């Protein structure tokens, strides 16, 4: 069974540009989560989508946005890139409603570098 | 207040020795789950072990065990018989409530296994 996939693996942009990151969840999973992992800061929750709708949002400015498609894949868009947006962006997927030891499953991430 | 605190930015352990990675948590919810993940240099987060707040016994998964001290709100990960492949970042995470999709992550501990 294929795991969570993300593309591209690396992305280099300049300040002010826009970046689009993509994620495909594990088959059967309807929830997709986005996290930002900047150096030394652990994982910061960005967005949670389920069944095509945004369910929760972390403490990030509106220039971080995304969407979930009917096939449950997801895009993360970052507008007006700033240098501090340079980070590893991790996508995770899970079933719609987690209980007990059920967990999220992570993709390999997209490394975004803003110059 | 931080939901998850990992106070050890970096740890070293001799191959074949045991090592304990610390994690404390903060919640007022009587029902919660605690998770540990491993992140190798490739970036992908790998689920290791789970402990539920109502579990009577400490969780074990192969060489991984969780030293759960509920009164102290600590959930330390113990890795026995360390191997070179254990060198990675380790993250502690919590999910509040019996069901729910919001995970809170710590800042991680970098473990280096020395031959």
């Amino acid at each position: 069974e294929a795991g969570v996939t993300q593309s591209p693996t690396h992305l280099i942009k300049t300040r002010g540009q826009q970046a689009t990151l993509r994620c495909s969840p594990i088959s059967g999973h309807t929830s997709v989560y986005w996290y930002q992992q900047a150096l030394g800061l652990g994982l910061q929750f960005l967005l949670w989508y389920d069944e095509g709708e945004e369910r929760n949002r972390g403490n990030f400015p509106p220039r971080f946005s995304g969407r979930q498609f009917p096939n449950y894949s997801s895009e993360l868009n970052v507008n007006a890139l700033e240098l501090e947006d340079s980070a590893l962006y991790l996508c995770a997927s899970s079933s719609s409603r987690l209980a007990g030891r059920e967990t999220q499953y992570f993709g390999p991430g997209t490394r975004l570098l803003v110059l | 207040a931080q939901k998850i605190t990992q106070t050890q930015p970096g740890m070293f352990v001799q191959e074949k020795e045991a090592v304990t990675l610390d994690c404390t948590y903060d919640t007022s919810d009587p029902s919660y789950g605690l998770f540990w993940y491993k992140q190798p240099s490739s970036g992908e987060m790998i689920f290791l072990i789970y402990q539920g707040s109502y579990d009577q016994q400490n969780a074990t998964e192969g060489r991984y065990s969780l030293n759960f001290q509920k009164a102290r709100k600590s959930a330390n990960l113990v890795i026995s018989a360390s191997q070179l492949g254990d060198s990675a970042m380790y993250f502690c995470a919590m999910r509040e409530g019996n069901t729910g999709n919001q995970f809170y992550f710590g800042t991680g501990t970098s473990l280096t296994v020395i031959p």
Side-chain angles (χ1 to χ4, degrees):
Chain A
E1 180 181 316
V4 178
T5 59
Q6 292 186 245
S7 63
T9 55
H10 294 80
L11 191 57
I12 300 175
K13 294 284 186 179
T14 56
R15 202 167 43 178
Q17 284 188 314
Q18 179 198 39
T20 299
L21 288 63
R22 296 179 178 83
C23 172
S24 291
I26 290 171
S27 177
H29 285 180
T30 61
S31 276
V32 170
Y33 315 80
W34 288 96
Y35 294 89
Q36 181 194 68
Q37 187 180 11
L39 197 62
L41 292 181
L43 274 71
Q44 305 294 316
F45 168 71
L46 269 166
L47 291 159
W48 168 29
Y49 292 96
D50 184 60
E51 299 282 356
E53 293 190 12
E54 184 180 301
R55 300 296 187 185
N56 200 6
R57 182 183 179 84
N59 188 25
F60 280 84
R63 57 191 187 83
F64 287 84
S65 65
R67 54 179 172 167
Q68 187 177 32
F69 299 99
N71 66 353
Y72 305 118
S73 66
S74 177
E75 269 184 5
L76 174 69
N77 294 295
V78 188
N79 293 320
L81 284 166
E82 301 178 1
L83 298 178
E84 50 266 34
D85 296 334
S86 295
L88 176 67
Y89 289 83
L90 289 167
C91 172
S93 76
S94 77
S95 55
S96 182
R97 197 159 171 77
L98 295 173
R101 64 178 289 124
E102 291 179 310
T103 185
Q104 303 171 350
Y105 293 88
F106 286 82
T110 293
R111 295 187 186 274
L112 173 64
L113 177 61
V114 182
L115 302 174
Chain B
Q2 292 289 330
K3 292 280 189 181
I4 294 288
T5 301
Q6 295 180 255
T7 58
Q8 305 157 313
M11 290 281 286
F12 292 87
V13 64
Q14 205 76 37
E15 194 177 6
K16 299 180 185 176
E17 297 292 315
V19 63
T20 298
L21 307 183
D22 294 343
C23 172
T24 58
Y25 58 92
D26 182 32
T27 182
S28 57
D29 196 324
S31 178
Y32 51 89
L34 298 159
F35 301 77
W36 277 92
Y37 297 86
K38 173 184 178 181
Q39 186 182 41
S41 57
S42 59
E44 187 168 350
M45 299 278 283
I46 302 166
F47 166 66
L48 294 178
I49 195 167
Y50 163 83
Q51 180 84 44
S53 60
Y54 294 119
D55 292 346
Q56 295 297 311
Q57 293 187 327
N58 288 342
T60 60
E61 294 282 350
R63 294 187 298 112
Y64 304 108
S65 61
L66 205 151
N67 183 3
F68 182 45
Q69 298 187 44
K70 197 169 183 177
R72 292 187 174 187
K73 293 190 174 179
S74 75
N76 298 339
L77 177 69
V78 181
I79 306 174
S80 62
S82 296
Q83 302 172 356
L84 296 179
D86 294 335
S87 295
M89 283 290 291
Y90 289 82
F91 290 93
C92 179
M94 177 175 66
R95 190 182 71 225
E96 290 177 315
N98 189 40
T99 60
N101 293 53
Q102 179 73 58
F103 281 73
Y104 301 94
F105 285 85
T107 52
T109 294
S110 175
L111 177 66
T112 301
V113 180
I114 304 167

